[in-house]
Amino acid sequence: QVQLVESGGGSVQPGGSLRLSCAASGSIFSFHAMGWYRQAPGKQRELVAGITSGGPINYADSVKGRFTISRDNAKNTVYLQMNSLKPEDTAVYYCTALRLRPTRYDYWGQGTQVTVSS
């Protein structure tokens, strides 16, 4: 059974920082990639950042230069460092893991709330 558990969300002022963590129940080497999505009320879920064993894949244009995705293989954990936070970053952030073989399958965490406001 694969489980992804997010943590680290909270409320911060604009310009502040947060680090999200995603702990996987199994080895992250079993996944082609892992990443973070976010969803604000009334909006579609969007990809924030992705990472493979080789390093980051991409970032959403809206977070480039502010967010950094990384992974700790020994801890089976993926992180999202969020700096210079803006009110528009407010959303529920979800961790995801992608398996491609034998067939494609996406695993999802339960989500963690991030709120940026004055």
Side-chain angles (χ1 to χ4, degrees), residues 4 12 16 52 59 78 101 105 110:
L4 304 174
V12 297
T52 68
Y59 293 94
V78 173
R101 298 293 183 183
Y105 191 88
Q110 83 288 351

Side-chain angles (χ1 to χ4, degrees), residues 18-31:
L18 286 172
R19 188 177 76 156
L20 306 183
S21 298
C22 173
S25 60
S27 174
I28 60 176
F29 287 114
S30 65
F31 304 113

Side-chain angles (χ1 to χ4, degrees), residues 72-109:
D72 186 328
N73 296 329
K75 296 182 178 180
N76 292 320
T77 300
V78 173
Y79 304 96
L80 184 68
Q81 178 66 46
M82 305 185 293
N83 298 326
S84 302
L85 284 162
K86 304 175 181 179
E88 51 263 45
D89 295 318
T90 296
V92 177
Y93 285 70
Y94 297 90
C95 180
T96 187
L98 171 64
R99 184 198 71 201
L100 292 181
R101 298 293 183 183
T103 58
R104 175 165 181 161
Y105 191 88
D106 294 343
Y107 299 89
W108 294 90

Side-chain angles (χ1 to χ4, degrees), residues 1-73:
Q1 182 181 15
V2 174
Q3 289 187 301
L4 304 174
V5 180
E6 303 99 330
S7 62
S11 298
V12 297
Q13 295 185 164
S17 298
L18 286 172
R19 188 177 76 156
L20 306 183
S21 298
C22 173
S25 60
S27 174
I28 60 176
F29 287 114
S30 65
F31 304 113
H32 172 73
M34 298 185 70
W36 292 90
Y37 282 74
R38 66 185 181 186
Q39 187 169 30
K43 296 184 179 180
Q44 292 182 289
R45 184 175 295 185
E46 65 173 340
L47 176 66
V48 177
I51 191 168
T52 68
S53 61
I57 301 172
N58 53 26
Y59 293 94
D61 288 342
S62 60
V63 308
K64 288 180 179 177
R66 300 188 298 118
F67 290 12
T68 303
I69 189 170
S70 62
R71 58 190 278 168
D72 186 328
N73 296 329

